[in-house]
Amino acid sequence: MLLDFEKPIAELETKLEDMKKIALESDVDVSDAVKSLETKIKNLKKETFSNLTRWQRVQLSRHPDRPYTLDYIYEIADDFIELHGDRTVKDDKAIVGGFGSVNKQTYMFIGQQKGRNTKQRQLRNFGMANPEGYRKALRLMKLAEKFNKPIVTFIDTPGAFPGLEAEERGQGEAIARNLKEMFMLKVPVICIVIGEGASGGALGIAIGDKVFMLENTWYSVISPENCSTILWRSWDYKETAAEAMRVTSHDMKDLKLVDGIINEPLGGAHVDMIAMAKEIKKVILQQTKELSELSTEDRIAQRIDKFCNMGVVNE
């Protein structure tokens, strides 16, 4: 699938492939033309992806080929043992988690998981967790705390599941409890937005000592489409809403709502998932080292201060 702004690049890449094919099938020397076209493609990519609008970055964060939580976990961790269930209702497939080791250090990995095809999306509920998903996440965090293991969370959700049954089982309470408990966790907590970071559904696993965003992701209380629907009674103004809301990673960094941005390969994380995973792994190892040097009390105090200092108050 190609996004609108990717189509001019794809057309040139198709021409390049055709040109290379001609060169193989005939004796015609097209090496100069190939080099020229490769340079043109590279320059067009740089120009396109360095000037994306906020709405285009939102689109890129939802790219169907974009890596999901389990993709990164299996690439980063030397081994991974998934744990299931909240011990109360059931195992929510929209949130995955378990122990995995990175450079002989054991971590608790937790994240929202979307699906690649229709069947997987139904199983994962499109990455929208029910209350039991957040309770499973909290159970795993407490397990990590018990064994003194750092926690890494991956955020990628269009929001918590808004269904009647989710509300009946205490969706708001489950998320609120996660916020409260995550502030007081005694182990280092690193949170990374890898795709969509929407509403309390994202925040429910995003209270950490350090919060990072991949370059082409967004983080907001509401999606641009839903904002447009509320304000203009139509999805037609989603681009305007995205600009006004300032939802991108660069906006969040400027507003001091996240600690850093992890750069993506040119074209997005889906272009080179292995390179993207390496960058994430570097950040995890570096931040773990820095956070481990702090005492538990200092780490918790800094975590609380970090979130309490967000926003602007006019008295």
Side-chain angles (χ1 to χ4, degrees), residues 100-234:
S101 60
V102 182
N103 289 11
K104 297 182 180 180
Q105 163 73 59
T106 301
Y107 289 83
M108 174 61 79
F109 291 100
I110 300 168
Q112 284 122 349
Q113 177 69 18
K114 296 177 177 177
R116 290 280 172 212
N117 53 44
T118 303
K119 189 173 181 180
Q120 288 179 3
R121 285 168 189 151
Q122 288 176 334
L123 176 70
R124 303 289 183 183
N125 199 29
F126 299 87
M128 295 186 294
N130 280 279
E132 50 270 25
Y134 292 102
R135 289 173 182 137
K136 174 170 77 169
L138 181 58
R139 181 178 77 82
L140 299 185
M141 291 177 201
K142 287 294 185 180
L143 191 62
E145 183 180 53
K146 178 180 178 180
F147 293 106
N148 194 31
K149 303 301 180 187
I151 298 167
V152 176
T153 69
F154 294 109
I155 296 102
D156 186 14
T157 179
F161 184 59
L164 178 62
E165 62 271 30
E167 298 298 336
E168 288 175 340
R169 292 197 298 273
Q171 184 74 285
E173 187 276 340
I175 293 173
R177 182 170 293 275
N178 275 27
L179 303 186
K180 175 179 177 291
E181 295 291 346
M182 287 187 79
F183 274 117
M184 304 308 296
L185 288 170
K186 296 176 182 178
V187 294
V189 184
I190 302 164
C191 306
I192 304 172
V193 182
I194 61 171
E196 299 183 89
S199 192
L203 196 59
I205 59 168
I207 302 296
D209 300 296
K210 296 292 180 180
V211 181
F212 290 86
M213 294 178 71
L214 300 197
E215 185 180 1
N216 297 308
T217 60
W218 64 277
Y219 198 14
S220 176
V221 71
I222 193 172
S223 70
E225 296 97 321
N226 289 331
C227 176
S228 174
T229 301
I230 291 171
L231 295 181
W232 291 282
R233 310 284 183 182
S234 167

Side-chain angles (χ1 to χ4, degrees), residues 1-59:
M1 175 185 168
L2 289 172
L3 301 173
D4 290 341
F5 57 88
E6 292 180 306
K7 288 178 181 177
I9 298 170
E11 288 172 5
L12 289 181
E13 287 176 335
T14 302
K15 287 181 182 178
L16 180 62
E17 290 302 315
D18 291 341
M19 199 176 289
K20 288 179 178 178
K21 190 176 179 182
I22 291 170
L24 289 173
E25 295 174 352
S26 67
D27 295 328
V28 179
D29 183 11
V30 293
S31 56
D32 290 340
V34 167
K35 286 181 182 177
S36 176
L37 192 53
E38 284 176 339
T39 302
K40 188 174 181 180
I41 290 170
K42 188 176 180 181
N43 291 336
L44 181 58
K45 275 187 176 180
K46 284 182 179 178
E47 183 183 350
T48 300
F49 288 97
S50 61
N51 294 291
L52 292 177
T53 65
R54 289 181 173 90
W55 172 244
Q56 286 171 335
R57 290 196 188 276
V58 171
Q59 288 180 294

Side-chain angles (χ1 to χ4, degrees), residues 228-284:
S228 174
T229 301
I230 291 171
L231 295 181
W232 291 282
R233 310 284 183 182
S234 167
W235 278 27
D236 296 341
Y237 298 92
K238 53 186 178 292
E239 295 180 42
T240 304
E243 290 296 323
M245 291 163 64
R246 299 174 65 187
V247 297
T248 68
S249 58
H250 297 284
D251 294 323
M252 295 298 107
K253 183 71 168 61
D254 291 342
L255 293 168
K256 299 181 180 178
L257 298 177
V258 298
D259 297 289
I261 298 168
I262 305 175
N263 292 327
E264 297 185 18
L266 187 63
H270 60 285
V271 172
D272 192 344
M273 191 273 283
I274 294 174
M276 188 72 258
K278 284 180 180 177
E279 289 301 311
I280 293 173
K281 183 177 178 179
K282 275 186 205 172
V283 170
I284 290 172

Side-chain angles (χ1 to χ4, degrees), residues 281-298:
K281 183 177 178 179
K282 275 186 205 172
V283 170
I284 290 172
L285 292 173
Q286 180 187 351
Q287 295 303 318
T288 303
K289 184 176 181 295
E290 292 178 8
L291 292 169
S292 297
E293 293 171 356
L294 298 172
S295 68
T296 299
E297 293 76 15
D298 287 344

